[in-house]
Amino acid sequence: MTTRILMCAPDYFNVAYVINPWMEGNIAHCDPALAMRQWQALAHAIGAVADLEMIEAVDGVPDMVFTANAGLVLAGKAVVSHFRHLERQREEPHFARWFAGQGMPLFRLPDDIYFEGAGDALFDRRQALLWLGWGHRSDAGSAPLLADWLDIEVQPLKLVNPRFYHLDTCFCPLEGGYLLYYPDAFDAKSRHRIAARVPAQYRIAASAGDAAAFACNAVNIGRHVFLNQASARLRKTLEEKGYQVHQIPLSEFMKAGGAAKCLTLRLDEPVATGPLPDLAPGSGPSAG
Ligand code: ARG
């Protein structure tokens, strides 16, 4: 089965407002031609191992390139995002129309509950479990709705560092059962929650430097890991576990607070079912 990923070309991408700390001082500071080349390099690399779907970019909604925030798709059902900021709420009808056009049943949040899609909701790869980041963008109140609509256990994680405002900026479950994450982005209770469900030998803690370079904002497909940049040490750790790391510079998108993972939405999430697989540490992910 081929992986399907939704992307949106940066035809109208720019930093036009400030809704996260990365955007501060960067209004109109993106190089559009460079952004296009970086996005194309990412699409080309991911396109080698996955089928890419494209949603047409819309003028006036510059953050629409970050399709991770379009919604959350599981088993052909789409939960449409409801953004906290007005600037991004304008993307909602465009993404909803695209999901509907795919024949997906749509689930919508009530007006007073925010949920920013796969940017804040990541499926565990060892067990049938959805991790939900809240505290900056999505509301914890979306957890019971997601659990009901998608028929999956949801574990909320509180994000406490404004630079890591979406879960996918600091947390990346990897096929094969490992978890790449930045512990300092979470409160103590959430770190305990993670430890309770992901054994120590499967947790890969990113350094502050790697986290700041968006190394946790990685797209993982089979053994491939696509990211902006990772230290030699982190690359070695991942490679020892069987992953192949592809570094694709995404400086222009980082000015808006996003990198590789933010620019993609997985349309066929592989959710673990049944009992926990008994993975030997170092056995790594399946080929693909
Ligand atoms: N400027 C966008 C925002 O603040 C960036 C979104 C990044 N997306 C993500 N999934 N982390 O909403």
Side-chain angles (χ1 to χ4, degrees), residues 19-20 23 63 66 68-69 88 119 137 165-166 168 256-257 262:
I19 57 170
N20 71 55
M23 300 173 100
D63 275 335
F66 298 113
N69 300 123
R88 295 208 67 185
R137 297 295 184 84
Y165 59 96
H166 275 141
D168 70 359
C262 306

Side-chain angles (χ1 to χ4, degrees), residues 5-247:
I5 302 270
L6 177 67
M7 295 183 73
C8 175
D11 298 336
Y12 305 102
F13 170 68
N14 208 332
V15 179
Y17 45 77
V18 176
I19 57 170
N20 71 55
W22 303 87
M23 300 173 100
E24 272 162 33
N26 278 326
I27 289 199
H29 278 180
C30 289
D31 175 339
L34 179 57
M36 183 57 84
R37 286 199 300 277
Q38 292 181 337
W39 182 89
Q40 282 169 345
L42 180 71
H44 183 77
I46 295 177
V49 297
D51 285 343
L52 297 184
E53 305 272 347
M54 294 294 160
I55 180 171
E56 210 173 312
V58 178
D59 196 0
V61 277
D63 275 335
M64 194 173 164
V65 286
F66 298 113
T67 52
N69 300 123
L72 182 67
V73 177
L74 180 66
K77 300 190 258 185
V79 179
V80 185
S81 286
H82 180 32
F83 289 93
R84 182 166 297 272
H85 298 96
L86 209 69
E87 292 89 339
R88 295 208 67 185
Q89 284 176 6
R90 300 194 183 106
E91 299 171 35
E92 291 171 18
H94 303 294
F95 287 129
R97 205 173 309 125
W98 191 88
F99 291 133
Q102 301 290 304
M104 298 181 189
L106 305 187
F107 295 88
R108 292 174 185 274
L109 282 300
D111 265 359
D112 59 343
I113 298 184
Y114 299 115
F115 171 65
E116 300 205 351
D120 266 333
L122 295 169
F123 293 99
D124 196 88
R125 297 299 186 217
R126 301 183 71 241
Q127 53 209 315
L129 171 63
L130 179 64
W131 297 100
L132 174 75
W134 66 279
H136 297 296
R137 297 295 184 84
S138 299
D139 285 314
S142 62
L145 296 171
L146 296 169
D148 182 33
W149 293 337
L150 302 179
D151 189 25
I152 192 165
E153 178 190 352
V154 179
Q155 282 283 339
L157 297 173
K158 184 168 186 195
L159 298 165
V160 293
N161 182 331
R163 287 189 90 76
F164 302 100
Y165 59 96
H166 275 141
L167 184 63
D168 70 359
T169 62
C170 53
F171 188 92
C172 183
L174 297 170
E175 287 179 42
Y178 289 93
L179 171 68
L180 171 62
Y181 76 127
Y182 180 50
D184 284 2
F186 301 91
D187 72 353
K189 196 167 153 194
S190 301
R191 288 198 300 271
H192 286 128
R193 268 183 194 205
I194 295 168
R197 299 301 288 271
V198 185
Q201 68 267 32
Y202 293 108
R203 299 199 300 267
I204 305 171
S207 66
D210 274 321
F214 272 79
C216 298
N217 194 249
V219 179
N220 168 226
I221 301 166
R223 67 191 155 83
H224 300 281
V225 177
F226 305 91
L227 45 73
N228 170 63
Q229 188 190 305
S231 62
R233 188 162 146 222
L234 178 57
R235 290 202 306 273
K236 185 163 174 276
T237 303
L238 289 169
E239 282 160 10
E240 278 169 2
K241 298 185 189 313
Y243 298 98
Q244 191 178 329
V245 180
H246 309 262
Q247 298 188 93

